[in-house]
Amino acid sequence: MAELAQLEDARTREVNERHGDDHGVNLGKLRALAKRLRTQQELARQLWQTGDSAARLVAILICRPKAFGRDELDAMLREARTPKVHDWLVNYVVKKSPNSEDLRVAWFADPDPVVASAGWALTTERVAKKPEGLDLSGLLDIIEARMRDAPDRLQWAMNHCLAQIGIDHAGHRARAIDIGERLEVLKDYPTPPGCTSPFAPVWITEMVRRQHDR
């Protein structure tokens, strides 16, 4: 914790706080610290319990994802209120857990939109890698009905799912693009030069073009 405090940088904190994160540690330096520590499950648990966001990010990087139980991961997600901790926990830990599918189903239907966004993120992973058994038409129905008015984090996760369906499943592509065009979610999102817009119709079209160019 003392070492993390020394890595704290006011400018980094200012940038992070604009995105809803509450720490000032450069992520490259944070990753270097975690690499030096290597895997330490007990230390990971102790760092998580501090409640400090930078410490929790280190905890995520040095933990053993499969060592956490289902209820422990559920509690951790509900405690992970900042975007970076939430995203890393889902992507680096929950996705590698044998409980990921059970948690996906539970979180998808959760009334808390931040928790539900994790369920949508896990669903998007399945759309891309293991779509068997998913009702893609049903997912598009939900997106069509709810995405426009969803809170930001949930809306972003639903939009990603919409784009992934359109990118990976040609039979649903036209409908996915149509939904995106009608709802106009993230249509005016500021996109840096060289980056792909998160507006689903543009995102889908660009990624499909790249696949065809390979």
Side-chain angles (χ1 to χ4, degrees):
M1 294 303 293
E3 192 164 346
L4 284 171
Q6 288 183 333
L7 293 174
E8 176 80 18
D9 175 75
R11 173 65 181 148
T12 301
R13 176 175 284 274
E14 181 185 335
V15 172
N16 286 341
E17 285 181 345
R18 282 195 227 124
H19 298 97
D21 292 310
D22 59 356
H23 72 91
V25 181
N26 175 278
L27 294 182
K29 293 179 180 179
L30 189 147
R31 287 182 184 275
L33 172 60
K35 186 176 181 180
R36 197 182 80 230
L37 290 170
R38 301 191 176 186
T39 303
Q40 296 191 52
Q41 180 65 12
E42 187 51 42
L43 177 58
R45 282 197 167 101
Q46 292 172 356
L47 288 172
W48 185 271
Q49 291 302 322
T50 66
D52 177 82
S53 288
R56 285 183 163 180
L57 292 173
V58 174
I60 288 166
L61 293 173
I62 68 171
C63 74
R64 289 189 184 88
K66 294 179 181 178
F68 293 110
R70 184 242 185 246
D71 291 345
E72 191 173 12
L73 288 173
D74 181 70
M76 289 168 72
L77 185 90
R78 293 173 191 280
E79 294 168 4
R81 305 312 293 182
T82 61
K84 186 64 71 177
V85 173
H86 180 275
D87 291 346
W88 279 24
L89 181 65
V90 172
N91 287 298
Y92 298 165
V93 182
V94 179
K95 286 181 180 179
K96 298 176 183 177
S97 167
N99 299 293
S100 62
E101 178 61 13
D102 181 30
L103 289 168
R104 180 190 76 81
V105 173
W107 291 342
F108 188 87
D110 199 279
D112 182 330
V114 176
V115 175
S117 73
W120 277 91
L122 294 172
T123 299
T124 301
E125 176 89 348
R126 274 203 58 188
V127 166
K129 296 183 177 178
K130 194 179 177 183
E132 298 80 11
L134 284 181
D135 178 4
L136 298 180
S137 293
L139 288 172
L140 291 175
D141 290 342
I142 296 171
I143 291 167
E144 188 170 20
R146 303 181 192 172
M147 182 172 72
R148 179 183 280 159
D149 298 320
D152 287 350
R153 300 266 289 279
L154 179 56
Q155 184 186 70
W156 190 273
M158 294 173 85
N159 184 71
H160 190 178
C161 190
L162 173 66
Q164 204 69 52
I165 291 171
I167 292 163
D168 290 333
H169 300 277
H172 297 277
R173 187 168 297 148
R175 185 183 176 204
I177 290 172
D178 177 65
I179 290 170
E181 287 175 342
R182 282 187 288 106
L183 298 186
E184 298 188 334
V185 169
L186 300 175
K187 183 176 182 178
D188 299 320
Y189 190 85
T191 305
C195 295
T196 303
S197 169
F199 179 47
V202 174
W203 189 355
I204 293 166
T205 303
E206 173 61 17
M207 296 311 293
V208 171
R209 183 192 65 77
R210 291 185 194 179
Q211 290 171 0
H212 287 162
D213 289 347
R214 283 177 189 162

